[in-house]
Structure formats: C-alpha cells, structure tokens
Amino acid sequence: MDVGWPLRDLGRRMTRAAVMLDSRMRTLTAQPEEGAATAEYAVVLVAATGFAAVLVALLKSDAIKTLLTNIVKKALSV
C-alpha cells in the first residue's frame, strides 16, 4: 500500500504551480532585468512554503512518527 502518493501528488501540483507562476511573472515583465530578482524571490518563497507544508504533513503521519520513535529508541538502547 503506497501511503505517500497524496504527498507526491501535492508536491507535483505545487511544483507545477511554481513553474507556472514563474512563467507568468516572466511574461508580464516588460524588461526582464527590472523586478526579476523580486519575482525569483517570490517563486522561491512559494516553493519553500510548499516544501514546508509537505514536511509538516509527512511528519504528522503515524507511519513517520512510528519510524522516528523506533530510530530514537534503538539509538538510546545501544
């Protein structure tokens, strides 16, 4: 059973949205040099926020909690 598919699907959609946003921002700028840095920062912030959302969703899952708990227990029992 593949429990990670919703996160991969979300990641793909977020990546696609970031690419589309970047493409749109580049199309709308009359002179690419003006505002390009701001648009790039905006795309990076959108991507970083999406990545953080995926990490939070992943870390809240029971499977990951169990995995991390077992790793810590094993490390402490040595």
Side-chain angles (χ1 to χ4, degrees):
M1 178 176 192
D2 186 14
V3 296
W5 72 266
L7 295 177
R8 282 194 298 276
D9 185 49
L10 177 64
R12 287 185 190 118
R13 285 186 284 148
M14 291 172 57
T15 301
R16 186 170 190 272
V19 169
M20 294 299 288
L21 176 63
D22 181 52
S23 174
R24 183 70 175 155
M25 293 296 281
R26 289 177 189 272
T27 301
L28 291 175
T29 56
Q31 296 177 352
E33 294 81 24
E34 290 182 19
T38 304
E40 289 165 2
Y41 285 127
V43 170
V44 168
L45 286 174
V46 168
T49 304
F51 183 68
V54 170
L55 282 179
V56 167
L58 185 64
L59 291 174
K60 283 186 175 183
S61 71
D62 289 334
I64 299 299
K65 283 181 186 177
T66 304
L67 178 67
L68 292 175
T69 303
N70 289 340
I71 290 171
V72 170
K73 284 180 182 178
K74 185 175 180 180
L76 293 176
S77 68
V78 172

